[in-house]
Amino acid sequence: MIPYGRQEITEEDICAVEEVLRSDFLTQGPAVPNFEKVVAEYCGVNHAIAVNSATSALHIACMALDLGPGDWLWTSPNTFVASANCGRYCGASIDFVDINPHTYNMCVSALERKLSAAEKEGRLPKVVIPVHFAGQSCDMVAIHKLSQTYGFSIIEDASHSIGATFNQSKVGSCAYSDITVFSFHPVKIITTAEGGIATTNNSELAERMSRLRTHGITRDQMHMRSASEGLWYYEQLELGYNYRMTDIHAALGNSQMKRLDEYISRRHEIADRYDKMLTDFPVTKPYQSLNQYSALHLYPIMLDDSTRRKFVFESMRESGIGVNVHYIPVHLHPYYRQLGFSRGYCPAAEDFYDRAISLPMYPGLNPKQQDYVVQRLKEALS
Ligand SMILES: *Cc1c(COP(=O)(O)O)cnc(C)c1O
């Protein structure tokens, strides 16, 4: 089976993990702070807080921005459910902004219209989570500008896009946002098995997120409510969680970071090759913006005709090709339908969903396998 995405693990990765296993610390040792430093330096950002998943990172990011009951969180429907669920964990209400039919990212003019209507009704969002779908950044300049007019905070869900750039700066630099979140699940760009990280330039948000990932506890006298009672003393300031990353996972991440740029150029080679081979196919190839460098987490094609998607998908699966569909619009899941959403709410995301197929895309995909994928796609389409 050729999967749609998968990790690449080298001998060096294995040695890095083994070294931790033979060391004094399996968790809360030096590997996590090292990993945070490497990611922060790579992105050109002041702080990075490593956690056990991107979902956890999204949750503590929302908490750090004081999202709570009575507040609204807006995100894209074309994403994994975690981008919306983090708001529900905080008791906030969720709304969805439809996508641009070319980029498949949150549509800036739809966002603008929705904000202007929400302002009149007094229900502006506290937090907006743009999702950099398939590895390509949203138009962060425009979204940031709207945040200043309408007063919302921005969390970039960059689970697909570590290594990508937008306007010359790395995604994760938080040049146009409060917090950026990356995922290190094995199908993503680099992996720690399970894991995620939140980056920010705001030291208060960083401090709060590092506390929230470890029960809301501080050992820093500066942040304590009363004087320290001794060297053993710590204080729980608010209700946090155990969302820590282990040193074993961080060591794998550190080792993978060394190959991040190489992975992304390999993904670009694969995408260029798909682009050429699919020239005469009745499909829409993923749009690449000129002032951006995508991390190319996914290679989603869109069929001309939604009635053929099921057949094409199933015949590719029968040929041993692990195609996938990204994404079932979040508002169409039963959990969100029960909150009042239904088909027709985000027509562009729904249309994309009806016709989308993600072709295999990962650094280890070789030309022979890629030829086979394209050959089978051709047969399924004819
Ligand atoms: C994978 C993913 C997540 C969740 O990541 P985990 O590390 O598995 O928690 C969130 N948002 C998007 C867009 C994702 O693709």
Side-chain angles (χ1 to χ4, degrees), residues 53-55 58 79-80 82-83 131 157 159-160 183 185 188 195 327:
S53 72
T55 304
L58 287 164
T79 185
F80 184 58
S83 321
V131 181
D157 184 342
S159 294
H160 299 182
S183 170
H185 181 277
K188 308 288 164 77
Y327 282 99

Side-chain angles (χ1 to χ4, degrees), residues 27-47:
T27 190
Q28 294 174 285
V32 171
N34 275 347
F35 182 48
E36 291 174 335
K37 187 161 167 275
V38 166
V39 172
E41 274 169 12
Y42 180 89
C43 294
V45 70
N46 293 342
H47 309 277

